[in-house]
Amino acid sequence: MKFYCRSLLNKTKSEMTPEELQKREEEEFNTQHLSVLTQSVNTQVLINCRNNKKLLGRIKAFDSSLVLENVKEMWTKVPKSGKGKKKSKSVNKDRYGSKMFLTWGSVIVVLWNPLIAGK
């Protein structure tokens, strides 16, 4: 089986039969860049966003964007201090959302926990 898949990688797509082409596309989808997201559907991930917020939630679907469920949004709020006032301590904030639509433009990194994904 592995030999068959390796031989597919040596052929150009125009040289392949429709069955070989489908097999190659399945292999690429399951082993390359999107494989982590494919394996992460219905599992909990931590997403670091550009706006300095973190999202902890379950990936329900993905495409040109992400659909998340049971999302906990976390961020740190730093109060502004006026003249002559002591520095205020930063405060950790969070909120919950049952569903969220997230575009890839705001995503920096998606962290996948393989221990949780196996359950």
Side-chain angles (χ1 to χ4, degrees), residues 23-88:
K23 183 71 175 170
R24 180 174 174 180
E25 288 174 354
E26 286 175 15
E27 183 71 22
E28 288 174 351
F29 188 77
N30 291 325
T31 60
Q32 292 185 0
H33 307 310
L34 291 176
S35 66
V36 173
L37 281 174
T38 304
Q39 295 169 12
S40 297
V41 172
N42 292 322
T43 62
Q44 194 175 51
V45 294
L46 180 67
I47 300 171
N48 192 4
C49 297
R50 288 188 184 270
N51 57 6
N52 213 17
K53 292 185 178 183
K54 313 273 187 288
L55 302 172
L56 183 64
R58 293 188 179 278
I59 295 178
K60 190 65 179 170
F62 68 93
D63 181 324
S64 56
S65 56
L66 280 168
V67 178
L68 302 169
E69 284 186 332
N70 303 324
V71 183
K72 182 177 181 182
E73 184 179 9
M74 301 166 283
W75 70 97
T76 302
K77 186 171 184 176
V78 181
K80 295 180 182 176
S81 57
K83 289 185 177 181
K85 293 184 178 178
K86 292 183 180 179
K87 273 194 168 180
S88 301

Side-chain angles (χ1 to χ4, degrees), residues 106-119:
S106 59
V107 174
I108 294 174
V109 68
V110 178
L111 299 173
W112 173 58
N113 186 345
L115 298 176
I116 292 175
K119 293 181 181 179

